[in-house]
Amino acid sequence: MRKPLVAAVFALALAGAGAAPAVAAGAPAADPADRATRPAQAAPASVGKVAVADKDTITSTVNDLVTSATATVGRITQPSAQAVNFAGTVSLSNCSGSVVRMPASADNDPALVMTNGHCLESGFPAAGQVIVDQASSRTFGLLNSAGTRVATLRASKLSYGTMTDTDVALYQLTSTYAQIKSSYGIDALTLNDTHPTAGTAISVVSGYWKRIYSCNVDGFAYRLKEGDWTWKDSVRYTSACNTIGGTSGSPVVDDATGKVVAVNNTGNEDGERCTVNNPCEVDASGNVTVRQGINYAQETYQIPACFGVGNKLDLSRSGCVLPKP
């Protein structure tokens, strides 16, 4: 998972262009650049691509070092070179995310923010654990198209969160889509409700680092196993999307449609087999493949079927396959 530590940021800068990111974007984080240590958790604190400290505590000098170092770790581009931009993305204290809507959401529905399940303020959910309708007042920094923070949004509850089968969290906000649009001129990103396609050009948009990674969908992992967690039908990126810590929860946007097809969550950092920060692919026959340096995301097309009128979570709806508590 991608939860970068400040120490890792310095290490990456000092190591130079050849240094590899310490964490994956959404799985358990052990690596310095991607996982936040949570002593209270039985699971390793490095799951996913999450940033450890609040961004305000990272000095401008460190940011400059990270900017130069990450330029060598993936194809990172500025929004001016992309059809995709930062509008509607958010920054969390240690992760990235986005304001999202379902294809059938109404403008006056309470807005939703999507990030990774391993980015929850309460720590990593255990394998098999599903959290629904839990009170939360978490805040999110809303970004405009240029990546400038224009507002602070607040949650009223965590609608859904899990690291089982997928790695996703959806917070309900105190604001509606219409209120956000009226106040800040920003639209939510729409979740695509069809399965992504191999070869699709995509952008991984990190609100935490204000960076956009561009690559393609390389294919899909039948099962992706990392430590105690297993995810189904995960998106595998081509090597250009070499995401770093803090990118956990970033929306994965289809460049052609502008719709969200996945949520960024992890990558194999050290070439290890199925360990924290080193997910492995397992096919339908049980064969294991390790792809060092390759990163992954979790599909989101199955989420809209689980939300009804008023953006209300209903796991009993027809077509909803998200894990239940």
Side-chain angles (χ1 to χ4, degrees), residues 63 154 187 228-229 247 263 276 290-291 298:
N63 282 330
R154 185 174 297 275
D187 291 311
D228 294 334
W229 298 273
T247 62
V263 58
V276 171
V290 173
R291 303 177 190 270
Q298 300 309 308

Side-chain angles (χ1 to χ4, degrees), residues 14-102:
L14 293 175
V23 198
D31 142 322
D34 205 18
R35 286 103 183 158
T37 302
R38 301 180 184 274
Q41 299 293 317
S46 59
V47 174
K49 291 194 173 183
V50 184
V52 160
D54 191 80
K55 192 174 181 182
D56 291 339
T57 67
I58 301 177
T59 66
S60 58
T61 299
V62 173
N63 282 330
D64 290 342
L65 292 172
V66 171
T67 298
S68 60
T70 54
T72 68
V73 187
R75 201 167 87 242
I76 304 174
T77 58
Q78 296 304 316
S80 58
Q82 294 282 327
V84 175
N85 58 48
F86 296 103
T89 62
V90 300
S91 58
L92 286 67
S93 57
N94 59 351
C95 283
S96 299
S98 57
V99 180
V100 297
R101 64 187 299 155
M102 309 303 157

Side-chain angles (χ1 to χ4, degrees), residues 192-256:
N192 199 347
D193 57 4
T194 59
H195 193 286
T197 303
T200 298
I202 54 173
S203 295
V204 181
V205 190
S206 172
Y208 184 89
W209 288 119
K210 299 183 177 64
R211 295 286 183 270
I212 298 175
Y213 299 77
S214 298
C215 61
N216 295 81
V217 174
D218 183 55
F220 306 94
Y222 175 74
R223 296 290 184 268
L224 190 67
K225 181 173 175 56
E226 180 171 351
D228 294 334
W229 298 273
T230 298
W231 303 301
K232 296 179 177 179
D233 197 21
S234 303
V235 173
R236 181 197 316 117
Y237 305 144
T238 52
S239 60
C241 279
N242 199 344
T243 47
I244 63 171
T247 62
S248 284
S250 298
V252 180
V253 180
D254 182 325
D255 289 351

